[in-house]
Amino acid sequence: MRIIKSAIAMAICYLINMLRGDAGIVFYSQLAALWCIQMYRSNSIKNAIQRTIGTAVGAIYGLIYLLIYPELAMKVDKPIVVEITLVTILLLLVLYTTVVVNKKQASYFSCVVFLSIAVNHVGDVVPYLFVWNRFLDTMIGIAIGIAINNVRICFNPDRETLFVSGLDDTLLGSDELLSPFSKVELNRMIDSGLKFTISTTRTPASLIEPMRDVRLNLPLIVMDGAALFDLKKNRYLHTVSIPSDLVESLYETICESGICWYANVIIDDVLIIYYGDTDDEINNSLVKTLKVSPYRNYLKRALPLDEPVIYFMLLDKSEKINEFSDKLNHMSYAERLRINTYKSDDYEGYSYIKIYSRNANKSYMLDYLKQTTGLSKTVTFGTIEGQYDVLVQEDNANEVVRRVRKMYEPFIMRKK
């Protein structure tokens, strides 16, 4: 749409210039319009202000040049010396003015406008008219750019539905990054009122990089439904920890197994991961890789039993993990826990166990989020058949955003 809007804006610039009797220079209007047609409406306004200030500063100093130069040029034998000196001094003032008014980003446009007046049009019959037309051309282009950039084809966006997407193999591609298309479209729709969030097994620490430039404004369901996290405020809004009366027994059972363990604890919005000493190279490599993040705090020491454990994670060879998983499932307290066992994608021959409270699940946390937002209708996206409202293909990174866009902003007016 940005490409199409740019082409339409160019045609409108031509049309308006024709209606003005070719009094201006359409080139300047077109440049300003293109500068204002941006991916996001907020950027469009920002660029328009920047261009307006830049043009105004350049035009003012250009006018000063036109007033001073003819008088000085007539008093010397070599007018070129006056031109060089005056242009140089005024250009310094142009740049300094943009610094004083705290609009340094507009300095380039100020210089372009000033030089176009001082260098190219000082010899015009009516040079002052050019200054006015130059400014007017830019204002026309800015107006066209903002107007076209804010045109909405959708008449009735759905702001009453909460759209919830999985992350890995769903919203992210095989490179574990959000595609440029998805990033731009998500931000655009969120800015216009889309209610969108993510539900993932990841911790907030592993969400920072892939979602860095996405303006998510709703809490995220993280840790497989064990926590609700506000990415903007860096806060855990709600957590479901393992029942305190089970932690000691479960911890003793884990320690007796000899499997390297990681206890994820949240204290005052800080994620602390206690872990045991081990000679296993894979576990040591895992800790070395993950502890560099400022959002994870690894402590190699015994677990304080009075702290709330969100979940335990165990990593070892698959055979040993499967045996211990069977043992856990036959413990008397197993029905109060949710035990997930799965093979590692990164370490061949190894598997994980993650142990949560039975009540820590994505469905519960989604219901909690719906209560806090007041949204009753939801649409979920994922790759597991039967578990989501909309089934998407794995590694088709743009499919989720395309489907969200189709449901959020239809091309025709919908009847309620």
Side-chain angles (χ1 to χ4, degrees), residues 14-187:
Y14 274 122
L15 178 61
I16 291 180
N17 191 57
M18 289 171 58
L19 295 175
R20 292 178 61 203
D22 292 328
I25 300 177
V26 69
F27 170 73
Y28 294 121
S29 295
Q30 291 171 329
L31 284 183
L34 286 173
W35 183 251
C36 292
I37 296 178
Q38 297 292 318
M39 292 181 290
Y40 309 124
R41 285 182 288 175
S42 58
N43 289 353
S44 179
I45 300 298
K46 179 181 177 181
N47 282 8
I49 294 172
Q50 182 185 109
R51 189 79 189 220
T52 300
I53 293 174
T55 301
V57 170
I60 290 171
Y61 281 101
L63 183 59
I64 292 173
Y65 178 84
L66 295 178
L67 293 171
I68 296 175
Y69 174 75
E71 296 295 327
L72 295 178
M74 290 188 299
K75 297 178 181 180
V76 297
D77 295 331
K78 295 182 178 181
I80 187 63
V81 175
V82 175
E83 179 180 348
I84 294 172
T85 304
L86 197 55
V87 167
T88 302
I89 293 173
L90 290 177
L91 190 63
L92 289 173
L93 292 175
V94 168
L95 292 169
Y96 184 69
T97 301
T98 60
V99 174
V100 170
V101 299
N102 198 26
K103 293 296 179 182
K104 291 178 285 187
Q105 299 87 346
S107 60
Y108 171 76
F109 304 111
S110 298
C111 291
V112 169
V113 173
F114 168 72
L115 292 173
S116 68
I117 295 171
V119 177
N120 293 329
H121 293 273
V122 69
D124 287 3
V125 177
V126 188
Y128 312 110
L129 183 60
F130 171 78
V131 175
W132 164 248
N133 281 329
R134 177 70 176 84
F135 182 78
L136 184 58
D137 289 335
T138 300
M139 293 301 101
I140 290 172
I142 289 172
I144 292 172
I146 291 177
I148 294 297
N149 208 52
N150 284 275
V151 169
R152 307 291 297 179
I153 297 177
C154 171
F155 295 98
N156 190 24
D158 184 357
R159 298 190 177 98
E160 299 177 0
T161 298
L162 175 61
F163 296 90
V164 185
S165 174
L167 193 63
D168 295 288
D169 300 323
T170 307
L171 192 62
L172 302 183
S174 56
D175 57 359
E176 296 192 355
L177 295 175
L178 199 63
S179 72
F181 167 82
S182 293
K183 189 180 300 182
V184 169
E185 282 298 289
L186 268 181
N187 282 334

Side-chain angles (χ1 to χ4, degrees), residues 252-306:
E252 289 179 356
T253 303
I254 292 172
C255 291
E256 290 172 359
S257 71
I259 298 175
C260 191
W261 54 271
Y262 304 85
N264 290 259
V265 176
I266 296 174
I267 302 175
D268 294 333
D269 293 319
V270 177
L271 176 62
I272 299 175
I273 305 172
Y274 295 98
Y275 68 104
D277 194 11
T278 180
D279 294 328
D280 185 76
E281 293 182 2
I282 295 298
N283 278 281
N284 287 329
S285 174
L286 177 69
V287 173
K288 185 178 180 180
T289 301
L290 297 181
K291 73 185 304 181
V292 297
S293 169
Y295 301 97
R296 299 184 184 96
N297 302 276
Y298 280 85
L299 295 177
K300 186 165 64 174
R301 63 183 63 176
L303 171 67
L305 299 177
D306 60 340

Side-chain angles (χ1 to χ4, degrees), residues 254 257 259-262 283 312-316 321 324 328 351-355:
I254 292 172
S257 71
I259 298 175
C260 191
W261 54 271
Y262 304 85
N283 278 281
F312 283 100
M313 185 184 81
L314 290 76
L315 173 64
D316 212 313
I321 286 292
F324 186 67
L328 279 180
S351 293
Y352 291 95
I353 295 179
K354 287 187 178 179
I355 307 168

Side-chain angles (χ1 to χ4, degrees), residues 342-368:
Y342 58 96
K343 291 183 178 180
S344 171
D345 293 330
D346 301 314
Y347 306 111
E348 187 176 355
Y350 276 68
S351 293
Y352 291 95
I353 295 179
K354 287 187 178 179
I355 307 168
Y356 304 86
S357 165
R358 172 65 67 179
N359 296 324
N361 57 72
K362 293 178 180 178
S363 178
Y364 164 80
M365 201 58 73
L366 179 57
D367 288 338
Y368 182 87

